[in-house]
Amino acid sequence: MNAITPDALQAEAPDATQSAVAALEEDIVFGRLHPRERLTEDELMARFSMKRHAVRQVLTELELLGVVEKKRNVGAVVRTFSAREVMELYALREVLEVHAASQMPLPIPEARLAALITVQREHDAAVADGDARRVFRSNQRFHREFFGLLDNAVLGQAIEEYARRTHPIRFGTLVAAGPRERARQEHWAMIHALRDGDREALMTVCRDHLLPSRDAYLASEQTRLRA
């Protein structure tokens, strides 16, 4: 049996870190970890078979993603958002994403439209199967492909960054079948607007597409506060 070298261990470490980050991000997005819930280093070390320094790196990356915050004398907790923060984040997303739709070159080349349709069919299958994890990841791929049509890397990165910051807000639209189906239909509305060269319809659906996750989070917070 070949010995595992230090270099091999170092090569494996980033993959282990990213796997842990992805797993915890999904736990937060799907509501398995709740706003304000503590993430203790000892529990994460046991769950992921990691050393303390590696767990701290995972928590740092989750903080950079905007899904975890570190509080003095408390440690890392799942981030929560005030109603004002939610409204401000989604207002900024609307500015960025509707502007992107206003700037996309129309008509879209057939090859690029076909690539977007291929990704959306993956999303269709995930929604049909009721697989929330695949819905989440295929939805990310769809939006990355969609906003990539703009060929503006700076704007695309800004859109992806602020979409990521709202991941903890979106769980209400990922766990319920109705919102997932609405999102699927809106993706196809985007595709049809691109195919038809209908910029007004494209901008409208990009704006409307943001509302369900924002409103579901605000409603859930109101319910929690009344409880």
Side-chain angles (χ1 to χ4, degrees), residues 34-181:
H34 302 101
R36 304 177 186 83
E37 187 168 344
R38 287 188 65 204
L39 301 176
T40 68
E41 292 180 3
D42 289 346
E43 289 177 353
L44 296 180
M45 288 167 62
R47 175 177 173 182
F48 295 107
S49 300
M50 282 182 161
K51 301 289 187 183
R52 191 173 300 277
H53 71 88
V55 162
R56 288 177 176 170
Q57 179 61 33
V58 168
L59 292 173
T60 295
E61 295 203 21
L62 288 168
E63 186 177 26
L64 291 173
L65 288 177
V67 298
V68 161
E69 56 187 339
K70 293 178 182 176
K71 294 191 172 184
R72 188 174 182 180
N73 300 324
V74 176
V77 298
V78 176
R79 186 175 176 186
T80 188
F81 297 84
S82 69
R84 179 175 177 174
E85 288 173 323
V86 172
M87 295 299 293
E88 289 175 348
L89 275 169
Y90 274 84
L92 180 55
R93 286 191 64 190
E94 180 179 326
V95 169
L96 293 171
E97 296 184 21
V98 174
H99 177 68
S102 76
Q103 298 299 307
M104 284 183 182
L106 298 177
I108 294 294
E110 283 298 321
R112 299 194 73 177
L113 190 62
L116 182 65
I117 289 170
T118 296
V119 174
Q120 179 51 36
R121 285 178 175 151
E122 295 175 7
H123 185 255
D124 290 345
V127 171
D129 292 344
D131 187 330
R133 182 180 184 277
R134 283 170 51 215
V135 169
F136 176 50
R137 295 302 180 189
S138 61
N139 180 73
Q140 286 182 303
R141 287 192 293 273
F142 174 86
H143 285 279
R144 195 173 296 118
E145 188 77 27
F146 175 77
F147 289 112
L149 296 172
L150 184 61
D151 290 327
N152 182 328
V154 173
L155 181 54
Q157 288 168 3
I159 288 170
E160 189 164 356
E161 169 65 19
Y162 283 97
R164 184 181 296 115
R165 286 177 182 269
T166 60
H167 282 176
I169 297 172
R170 297 178 52 222
F171 67 87
T173 55
L174 286 166
V175 299
R180 289 200 302 254
E181 176 58 22

Side-chain angles (χ1 to χ4, degrees), residues 1-13:
M1 180 179 295
N2 294 329
I4 298 176
T5 66
D7 288 344
L9 287 173
Q10 290 175 2
E12 290 176 1

Side-chain angles (χ1 to χ4, degrees), residues 12-30:
E12 290 176 1
D15 290 340
T17 299
Q18 292 309 311
S19 293
V21 168
L24 290 166
E25 181 188 28
E26 289 175 6
D27 284 348
I28 292 166
V29 169
F30 299 135

